[in-house]
Amino acid sequence: MTGRPLIVTMGDPAGVGPEIIARAWPVLATPPGPIAPVTPFAVIGDADVLAAQGARLGAPVEQIFSPSDARGVFGRAIPVLHHPAPAKVTPGKPDPRNAPAVADWIERAVDLVISGEGGGVVTAPIAKAPMYASGFRFPGHTEFIAELTADMPFSGTRGPVMMLTAKDLRACLVTIHVAIDQLPELVTADRVMRVARVVHESMKRDFGVAAPRLAMAALNPHAGEGGSIGLQEVEVLRPAAAALRAEGINITDPLPADTLFHDEARARYDATVCLYHDQALIPVKTLDFWGGVNATLGLPIVRTSPDHGTGFDIAGKGIARADSFIAAVRLASEMAAARATR
């Protein structure tokens, strides 16, 4: 697969980010069997921290000075744009003094994609507590990257919308980290319709689906049973679905979530609009606990990440699995290639 190199951010250097990058590189640089090669990536972060992990895992590190150098290096070593962490890095012990560098790595990665030097961003995990202690004011990666790209031109409905994907399931979220008792007021027609538009456009732009089929999950059990188990389906979701269909978006009326994710059901749609966190995350993690990916839709740039956290409890122990990171790089590679053909 060709194209501009992806830019991988190291995440919190005290977490599992350096290890999963080092574990993933041999798999991605020399894919087995019929698996197509991914676009090469360059890591932005502390080269010494990554080299320490790579030395244990047989993954050499080579410093580069431009993303364009990544293609020539990727087959023999992990290309790294070296931006050192200011404080000593101890696996499993995050240090707020390094948090500004972590944020800077993300910002630099986005800048490289905006400038055309990178094809997309893959973010290794960050932790909120040390970031907040340093003055970071965003809930997470998604909102930070959305602000960093806010002034970029973008033809379409702007997100961000969080999509979790595993195997053939793409589950997109209307709300994310909110309490269940807040859902009735947060699941509005405007919010549902905006998310559905972002997903519809992204299926075309990022996944090459010419005529996307969307499924909408209901909020209440049995899709409300005609209003006898809640009115959201009657008053909010069905009217929103009808309005979307009038715009030319192929989306179902709200469907009971307990019958929406089995094998036969998934064959009937390309993506599903889920209304709250666990409605999407439970089926994704049931399908592929280790290999799920978080992608941000509706941005001017491609961004994916592994669907797990920093793993401070296992950092430095040599047991972190790279499945999700590998899948995130593959997905970013595919999305960037799809955008390049438009």
Side-chain angles (χ1 to χ4, degrees), residues 170 199-205 207-214 248-251 268-271 342:
R170 303 181 185 108
V199 175
H200 171 79
E201 294 164 11
S202 180
M203 288 303 104
K204 293 182 174 183
R205 178 180 55 247
F207 297 90
V209 179
R213 303 163 301 161
L214 306 186
I249 295 175
N250 181 358
I251 189 168
R268 295 195 289 266
Y269 58 80
D270 300 299
R342 289 181 61 82

Side-chain angles (χ1 to χ4, degrees), residues 11-107:
D12 193 305
V16 297
E19 180 178 346
I20 61 176
I21 293 168
R23 284 190 182 279
W25 171 77
V27 176
L28 295 168
T30 54
I35 298 177
V38 301
T39 304
F41 62 74
V43 179
I44 186 163
D46 193 309
D48 295 332
V49 172
L50 186 57
Q53 292 289 346
R56 295 192 303 107
L57 299 170
V61 167
E62 186 171 326
Q63 290 190 42
I64 59 173
F65 299 97
S66 168
S68 62
D69 299 332
R71 190 171 300 280
V73 171
F74 193 69
R76 65 175 180 267
I78 304 173
V80 183
L81 295 159
H82 180 50
H83 294 274
K88 180 182 177 181
V89 175
T90 302
K93 296 182 178 180
D95 190 328
R97 292 176 296 175
N98 286 328
V102 173
D104 187 54
W105 298 339
I106 300 166
E107 188 166 359

